[in-house]
Amino acid sequence: MAVASVIIPAHNEAASIGRNLRALREGTHDDDLDVVVVCNGCTDETAEVARQVDPRARVIEIPQPSKVEAVRVGNAATDVFPRIHLDADIELDGAAALRLIEPITRDEVLATAPRRDVPRTGCSRWVRWYYDVWEALPQVESGLFGRGVVVLSQQGQARVAALPRMMADDLGMSDSFSSEERRVVPSAVAVVHPPRTVRDLVRRRIRIATGNAQAGQLGVRRPGSRTGARTLLGLAVTRPGLALRLPVFVAVHVAARLGARRALRSGDFTTWQRDESSRT
């Protein structure tokens, strides 16, 4: 019997779903993971690639290009816990997945996430500098968001399912749990491929800024997950090596906030802006 389920929403991820599924099966037995790939509104060969790469995975196709709906369908397709929510463009090997479920099966916490590895090779200098600052933020170090992986117990899943539907689902998951109820597992690593260009970085951050603002409007976001001037000034003092990089971070942050205004004015929390450079 499976020891955990994995829900993978995938929209036009033919370029990345193969590496995602191959990594996930490394270090596990055939029946350890109940993998459900939900291809939502795909116009490429995502489903075909998924079936070819991992014949043991269950591949479901739905017409709506909606991550929220894909997650709902995936959750309905399995009753196995713990449940691993995994983005299709993330690389998490099976051995790491098994390490993530251990604190949950021991009833120590309700939710876990891996340590993130953000490879900078091929990225522009400004993108590298942005992530140097972003990864040093205290809330980024401790939160479950921005890792592309969140693992939930049955109780944790029930809590998350009660949340309103939102774009920033990983932030919603993270802020649903206190620091005592969640844990980042350092021995489990997820590879999060960053955008390579500033333009793609801003596109990604506009989506994130839109989702974060929606979470705030819904009363889901905790104050501790916000980035303020005091946090950045603290970094400049404690990490002086980041001082030259801070203006780049602030510029991208401001550009993203400005770019999100249109969606916020219209209440558009479904348009999913993403970068393509990280998927090549």
Side-chain angles (χ1 to χ4, degrees):
M1 294 182 62
V3 297
S5 57
V6 186
I7 308 300
I8 307 174
H11 172 69
N12 288 345
E13 295 286 1
S16 59
I17 193 66
R19 71 188 183 194
N20 171 284
L21 291 171
R22 278 189 288 267
L24 190 58
R25 292 298 186 182
E26 293 178 7
T28 63
H29 297 102
D30 288 352
D31 298 326
D32 280 347
L33 301 175
D34 178 22
V35 179
V36 182
V37 181
V38 185
C39 303
N40 57 101
C42 292
T43 57
D44 65 0
E45 298 179 348
T46 300
E48 291 80 358
V49 173
R51 291 187 178 105
Q52 180 179 8
V53 170
D54 188 355
R56 296 190 298 277
R58 289 184 286 149
V59 180
I60 302 172
E61 297 181 69
I62 62 174
Q64 305 97 313
S66 166
K67 181 180 181 182
V68 172
E69 180 63 13
V71 171
R72 187 194 68 77
V73 170
N75 281 326
T78 181
D79 58 1
V80 179
F81 287 96
R83 184 155 302 162
I84 302 171
H85 293 272
L86 174 63
D87 288 351
D89 59 335
I90 301 298
E91 293 174 49
L92 177 78
D93 67 51
L98 296 180
R99 285 192 286 272
L100 285 171
I101 72 173
E102 289 176 0
I104 293 176
T105 56
R106 294 195 297 262
D107 293 325
E108 296 173 356
V109 292
L110 300 178
T112 64
R115 177 170 58 88
R116 68 173 70 82
D117 174 24
V118 185
R120 317 285 210 271
T121 303
C123 297
S124 75
R125 175 188 299 178
W126 314 121
V127 173
R128 296 197 305 270
W129 283 17
Y130 175 88
Y131 278 101
D132 287 346
V133 175
W134 183 77
E135 286 197 284
L137 296 172
Q139 63 270 35
V140 172
E141 290 182 336
S142 62
L144 305 184
F145 57 85
R147 303 172 192 274
V149 185
V150 178
V151 185
L152 301 174
S153 67
Q154 188 168 5
Q155 181 183 349
Q157 180 66 55
R159 185 181 298 184
V160 168
L163 294 173
R165 290 191 172 194
M166 67 185 74
M167 178 180 283
D169 57 334
D170 59 343
L171 176 65
M173 290 184 189
S174 181
D175 279 6
S176 295
F177 304 101
S178 67
S179 57
E180 292 78 20
E181 294 175 317
R182 69 190 190 199
R183 180 179 302 173
V184 174
V185 180
S187 60
V189 179
V191 179
V192 182
H193 295 277
R196 297 187 178 186
T197 68
V198 172
R199 182 176 182 177
D200 278 329
L201 172 61
V202 171
R203 283 175 60 84
R204 181 185 285 193
R205 296 308 305 182
I206 287 174
R207 183 192 78 226
I208 293 170
T210 303
N212 289 351
Q214 181 194 27
Q217 291 175 6
L218 294 171
V220 173
R221 193 174 189 187
R222 291 175 183 257
S225 65
R226 301 176 186 272
T227 300
R230 180 175 297 181
T231 301
L232 296 179
L233 288 173
L235 277 184
V237 172
T238 60
R239 302 278 297 274
L242 295 177
L244 290 177
R245 291 160 167 76
L246 282 171
V248 174
F249 177 88
V250 172
V252 171
H253 180 75
V254 171
R257 292 286 296 273
L258 292 174
R261 283 184 174 180
R262 181 177 179 180
L264 294 174
R265 284 197 298 265
S266 63
D268 179 9
F269 299 113
T270 59
T271 300
W272 192 268
Q273 295 199 56
R274 72 177 192 180
D275 68 281
E276 298 297 335
S277 61
S278 63
R279 289 168 165 83
T280 58

